[in-house]
Amino acid sequence: MISEVLEKPLAVWRGKERYGSELLESLTIIFKSAGCTWSKCRMCSYRHERYHGTSGLELLNHLRAQLAWVTREFRADEYQMVKIFTSGSFFDPAEVPPAFLAEVAAAFRGKLLIAETRPEFVDEEVFSTFAGALDDGSWKTPLSCAIGLETSNDVIRERSINKGFTFADFTAAAARAHAAGAGVKAYLLFKPLFVTEGEAVADMKRSIRDASLHAEMISMNPCTVQKNTELEYYWKRGAYRPPYLWSVLSILEDAPCHVMCDPLGGGQKRGPHNCGTCDPDIVKGIREYSLNADRELVRALLEVQCECRKEWEFVLTEEKPYGMPLTR
Ligand code: SF4
Ligand SMILES: [Zn+2]
């Protein structure tokens, strides 16, 4: 018999989320699934969270039990938006049995739902059916998919992240999602392995512009060092430093559209950080900006006086690119 503890999702929490010009109450769920079938990204530890060797009805029942736990614990009238993550892709049939989609749609009918997936699992027919089951007329676009594009630069995505898909794969998936009447949210990763702070900033500025042509929502994740990852291996040997919060601010300030950003681990050595002194206020300010889209707040934070600002400026101009050979 499976214990009750095993049948909870990996995590569930309530929060707030900006959607267009509205501020919505949100529910974020991380379902434990069969796990990411790609499982090769250099910075990712989520992929370790999975049911090993489980498939078919047994897997479906695990997921059903988690969904039942969520609907039991959280009253439906307390939130308008549901964000679904798994340890990979919600729309991967090997990871989440397709029968589960209908049950999720029924449970969250009338909500605005965003579910994360790799681009290869964006299927127009599946999306149309799922969106149709979710839709009760409350929202223009009840379903959106969130895709971890990470960067619009194929070389960085390939070499620094090992993501296994191209920008063209992303744009094609976005087109399929849109054709099915669904929206697209792009997740970007700020400062993966093997790029300097300056290269990473330039990469994000460019990626935000590129992604905004195909996605209605953009969220930027400043990289954190998760346990049991290749990124951690390099970080422990002094070959990686998480991004500066100054850099995060400069990117948000430059962006042509609103970019959401929740600096996880902000101010800590494994997360995006400055010197430690100015970090708490900046992290708080970035979270506020994510919700209120007040660009003046970002500008004001960039004016904060702290000694480490000079260090950041020095790093931006003086750090040299990683000498990775192009051939073997
Ligand atoms: S980042 Fe996403 S695609 Fe990459 S290994 Fe992790 S779960 Fe899989
Ligand atoms: Zn500082």
Side-chain angles (χ1 to χ4, degrees), residues 35-48 50 86-89 95 116-121 148 150 161-165 189 226:
C36 179
T37 43
W38 174 251
S39 240
K40 293 185 191 128
C41 298
R42 302 192 200 284
M43 71 305 173
C44 176
S45 68
Y46 302 123
R47 59 200 166 95
H48 301 307
R50 59 173 71 206
T86 64
S87 347
S89 296
E95 193 188 321
E116 192 180 41
T117 185
R118 285 176 60 89
E120 61 264 40
F121 305 117
E150 320 298 13
I161 303 175
N162 195 27
K163 195 83 192 189
F165 65 77
L189 179 69
Q226 297 172 358

Side-chain angles (χ1 to χ4, degrees), residues 246 274-279 306-309:
W246 294 121
N274 286 349
C275 64
T277 306
C278 60
D279 300 43
C306 190
E307 275 302 304
C308 72
R309 203 193 151 92

Side-chain angles (χ1 to χ4, degrees), residues 55 57 77 80 105 112 130 132 135-136 140 143 151 181 190 193 207 216 218 265 300 311 324:
S55 59
L57 188 59
D77 58 356
Q80 294 108 35
L112 200 61
F130 186 59
D135 191 11
D136 73 345
K140 189 163 164 270
L143 172 66
T151 162
F190 171 39
L193 272 169
S207 296
E216 298 74 48
I218 298 184
E311 174 190 290
M324 195 179 193

